[in-house]
Amino acid sequence: MKFIYTLLLGCAALGAMAAPVVEKPTRQDISVAFAIITDNATYQATRPAMMRYRDAVQNDGLAAYIVRDDWKSPQDVKDAIKKVYSEAPGLEGIVLVGDVPVAMVRNAQHMTTAFKMNEDKFPFIESSVPSDRFYDCLDMDFRFLKQDEEQPHLFYYELTEDSPQRLNPTFYSARIRYPKLRGGDKYEAVARFLDKAAKAKEAMKNDRLDRVVSFNGHGYNSDCLIAWMDEEKAYRENFPLAFNTATDFKHWNFRMMHPMKYKLFDELQRPEVDLFMFHEHGAPTTQYINGSKPAMSDKDRYDLLKKSIYSRVRRAIKKGNPENEVVEAFAKEYALTDDFFKDLNNPEYWRRDSIESSEINIEAEDFHHRTTWPKIVMFDACYNGSFHEDDYIAGEYLFNDGGTLAAQGNTRNVLQDRWTIEMIGLLSHGMRVGQYNRLVATLEGHLMGDPTLRFAPVEANTMSADATLRKTDTDYWKGLLGSPYADVQSLALRMLADADTDRTLSPMLLEVYRTSPFNTVRMEAVKLLSRYNNSDFTEAVRLGINDPYELVARLSADHAGNIGDPSLLPALILLYIDGNERARAAYNASNSLSLFPIDDVVKAVEDYYASSNRYNAVAEKERVINGLKRTHNNFVKRTNDEIADTTLSDDKRISSIRFVRNNPYHPYLDLYLGIIEDSANSDAVRVTMAEALGWFNHSVRRQEIIDFCNHMLKRDDLPDTLSAELLQTLNRMQN
């Protein structure tokens, strides 16, 4: 009996040992808290540096917890975080250090900006989103699916249908995870980074954000020069201290130099740079900078053609086609001689090609022997923030011997047409980079490095802590609406909208849009009005389509298509025809016009020309109308015909239905509802159609979808999968 009692005591002790260890703050006089979440192995290997980092964070105004364990799953981590939060409601953020499990999120693609991969057709590892929103959005619910067999640090979860369907992080989060392929000892590297972050705290107390570099890469925003130039309107509002000398703010574009990467390396070596913003395309280990060199001579054009055809030939051969047949086919199609293909298998040719390709991009390996010094680096690109991978660009910037302390990047592909610099000016006002990042959360967007980093403010304030401690103090935030700084006003609007449970704020937001001289405040007003889905939002979008700030116009043009209200057509047509020097905005207008009834669009074009004074108006009108009709017939009508055609395979119909997720065709809503209601359609088709309806959340016909979902959910003959999808769509409509 004594043996059994002793054994039970031993088991209890083991159970206690297995629980997370929580080291409480050593400072009890601070009301705002922060938590360092780490694994036991990282803690033991880096403990001295971690303590120095903890102490530096506390001396900078955050009571710091350390939570550690041999984590078995992300849920274990989340449970430990919840426990800390229940003890410290003033918790403003966390950092995940070392080998903390990664949640791979599914069934939540509406929370991404662009990622729309078919979860049924592609492997879990490709079709899931690595996301720490699992940890920092405490109100969201997830269903565990499985652990990855080959990469056991990855765990798959899906968002439940009755969970909130909109991101609203409870606090900010960041990752400090070493890129394995960089080589060396990961624990030593993490310790060095923690020491770097700790030492920087004292210096940052007097470091104002007054040195900024922005770079736009090849192919970004359709290479629209007006979009690029107009960003400086916002930058002057974001960074009031960065325009005093010629080198305080540098605004680079890929067109300025070929190759550009070495000039960028020069900029990254400047210790005085505070913030570096990359607006470009990317991959986990690549930043796409220049693109092909412009062909300025006949030889250049020949070389470019040769390279292009060689690449296509090699791709065709790689797919298993015989080389002689592929070469013969290309020679026949382009009237090419045998001499044209003489270098196809020439190693020297491909060696030179490889060197040329390496000149136009930045690769992860480029930082194995270089340093970067901007304190914060932003990557707008796809995949540059893929911290779950063995190597990723953002990690290379953090773990070199330079001064970079934080990086913002994405784990998946990301939309170009988004407000990439929203709220970034808060960094000028002493806001911690984590707080800023929390305000612009997406499922794929992440902060890596030290989230507690902050610059000395333009003027002394307590906003960073107030964003946590005075979240619902509407009088306080109303008082900040009179700030002379655009981003402070934008933050005040956001906090007021977050606290607007009665949904009465939209008239005030519309008035702000109408009257604000600040470009970024007008943009914030439009974005916040999108929450209300009412006539105030529609009116702001109508006005915004021709706003003097290109980004407001571009995103308003996109909103117009998602709304589908006919009253927006005249403004869209004006932008499409008379404002097409704004290439990206006109592109969005073109896409949005395809979402309206074609007859209404044609009439709007005719009305425009009836009162216009354009050169050769009759011929131009005919070209415009023919082009719009061609788009309608080739894409819109064909897509919806395929959706309706029950003789097609489910795969073909589902492929077309999935296209509706990015293209809410309002005129075809009756068709979509009928497909869901008709049990003769397969469950897969009905479920996919119900999912697509979730993207009509701004539609002028949104209430019809809400009513339909409520009606269908009362039926007892629906497949469980369809009921679940309708419930999720309903929740998305009502968010």
Side-chain angles (χ1 to χ4, degrees), residues 583-696:
R584 194 69 187 183
Y587 171 81
N588 279 6
S590 175
N591 286 344
S592 288
L593 288 171
S594 71
L595 305 178
F596 289 80
I598 185 61
D599 291 342
D600 291 353
V601 174
V602 169
K603 183 178 184 307
V605 172
E606 291 173 339
D607 289 345
Y608 168 82
Y609 279 100
S611 59
S612 76
N613 191 30
R614 292 178 66 82
Y615 172 75
N616 203 17
V618 174
E620 184 183 77
K621 181 180 77 170
E622 184 177 356
R623 286 197 304 272
V624 168
I625 290 175
N626 288 342
L628 292 167
K629 286 183 174 179
R630 195 159 49 245
T631 297
H632 175 79
N633 291 330
N634 291 346
F635 295 99
V636 181
K637 185 176 183 302
R638 186 178 68 187
T639 295
N640 286 284
D641 285 348
E642 290 172 350
I643 291 172
D645 190 349
T646 57
T647 66
L648 295 177
S649 68
D650 279 0
D651 282 350
K652 181 62 178 174
R653 294 180 73 194
I654 286 171
S655 177
S656 294
I657 291 170
R658 287 176 59 80
F659 190 71
V660 173
R661 302 196 308 171
N662 283 337
N663 299 275
Y665 295 118
H666 311 279
Y668 291 89
L669 181 60
D670 293 337
L671 165 66
Y672 305 153
L673 301 183
I675 286 171
I676 296 169
E677 199 162 23
D678 187 357
S679 60
N681 291 303
S682 71
D683 290 354
V685 167
R686 297 170 79 191
V687 168
T688 308
M689 193 75 256
E691 181 198 20
L693 290 184
W695 269 265
F696 284 70

Side-chain angles (χ1 to χ4, degrees), residues 186-198:
K186 66 179 180 180
Y187 297 121
E188 290 180 4
V190 170
R192 285 196 302 271
F193 180 82
L194 292 172
D195 274 333
K196 176 169 70 170

Side-chain angles (χ1 to χ4, degrees), residues 442-707:
T442 63
L443 195 65
E444 73 276 14
H446 289 81
L447 190 66
M448 289 135 283
D450 176 17
T452 68
L453 179 153
R454 59 176 173 173
F455 295 95
V458 175
E459 295 177 1
N461 67 76
T462 58
M463 280 193 309
S464 195
D466 292 338
T468 297
L469 299 177
R470 305 181 72 172
K471 191 177 295 186
T472 59
D473 185 349
T474 55
D475 288 338
Y476 170 75
W477 297 111
K478 285 178 182 176
L480 291 182
L481 289 175
S483 169
Y485 300 108
D487 286 276
V488 175
Q489 288 190 22
S490 291
L491 175 63
L493 290 175
R494 169 72 67 83
M495 301 305 286
L496 289 169
D498 286 348
D500 185 26
T501 55
D502 295 333
R503 300 179 67 81
T504 60
L505 198 64
S506 71
M508 185 270 279
L509 291 171
L510 177 59
E511 183 62 18
V512 168
Y513 173 76
R514 291 180 184 274
T515 60
S516 179
F518 291 122
N519 300 283
T520 53
V521 172
R522 294 198 306 277
M523 185 66 253
E524 188 66 37
V526 173
K527 180 173 181 177
L528 292 174
L529 278 165
S530 71
R531 299 182 179 186
Y532 293 83
N533 284 315
N534 60 12
S535 59
D536 290 334
F537 175 43
T538 301
E539 177 63 7
V541 166
R542 186 185 70 81
L543 297 171
I545 290 170
N546 287 290
D547 193 273
Y549 179 30
E550 187 274 347
L551 185 70
V552 174
R554 191 195 331 158
L555 298 191
S556 294
D558 189 56
H559 280 314
N562 291 328
I563 296 170
D565 190 312
S567 67
L568 298 170
L569 280 172
L572 275 176
I573 293 297
L574 179 63
L575 171 60
Y576 180 65
I577 297 173
D578 200 32
N580 56 21
E581 70 277 5
R582 293 176 160 190
R584 194 69 187 183
Y587 171 81
N588 279 6
S590 175
N591 286 344
S592 288
L593 288 171
S594 71
L595 305 178
F596 289 80
I598 185 61
D599 291 342
D600 291 353
V601 174
V602 169
K603 183 178 184 307
V605 172
E606 291 173 339
D607 289 345
Y608 168 82
Y609 279 100
S611 59
S612 76
N613 191 30
R614 292 178 66 82
Y615 172 75
N616 203 17
V618 174
E620 184 183 77
K621 181 180 77 170
E622 184 177 356
R623 286 197 304 272
V624 168
I625 290 175
N626 288 342
L628 292 167
K629 286 183 174 179
R630 195 159 49 245
T631 297
H632 175 79
N633 291 330
N634 291 346
F635 295 99
V636 181
K637 185 176 183 302
R638 186 178 68 187
T639 295
N640 286 284
D641 285 348
E642 290 172 350
I643 291 172
D645 190 349
T646 57
T647 66
L648 295 177
S649 68
D650 279 0
D651 282 350
K652 181 62 178 174
R653 294 180 73 194
I654 286 171
S655 177
S656 294
I657 291 170
R658 287 176 59 80
F659 190 71
V660 173
R661 302 196 308 171
N662 283 337
N663 299 275
Y665 295 118
H666 311 279
Y668 291 89
L669 181 60
D670 293 337
L671 165 66
Y672 305 153
L673 301 183
I675 286 171
I676 296 169
E677 199 162 23
D678 187 357
S679 60
N681 291 303
S682 71
D683 290 354
V685 167
R686 297 170 79 191
V687 168
T688 308
M689 193 75 256
E691 181 198 20
L693 290 184
W695 269 265
F696 284 70
N697 56 318
H698 293 310
S699 175
V700 70
R701 302 184 68 181
R702 174 171 157 270
Q703 189 59 47
E704 294 177 55
I705 298 173
I706 292 173
D707 293 343

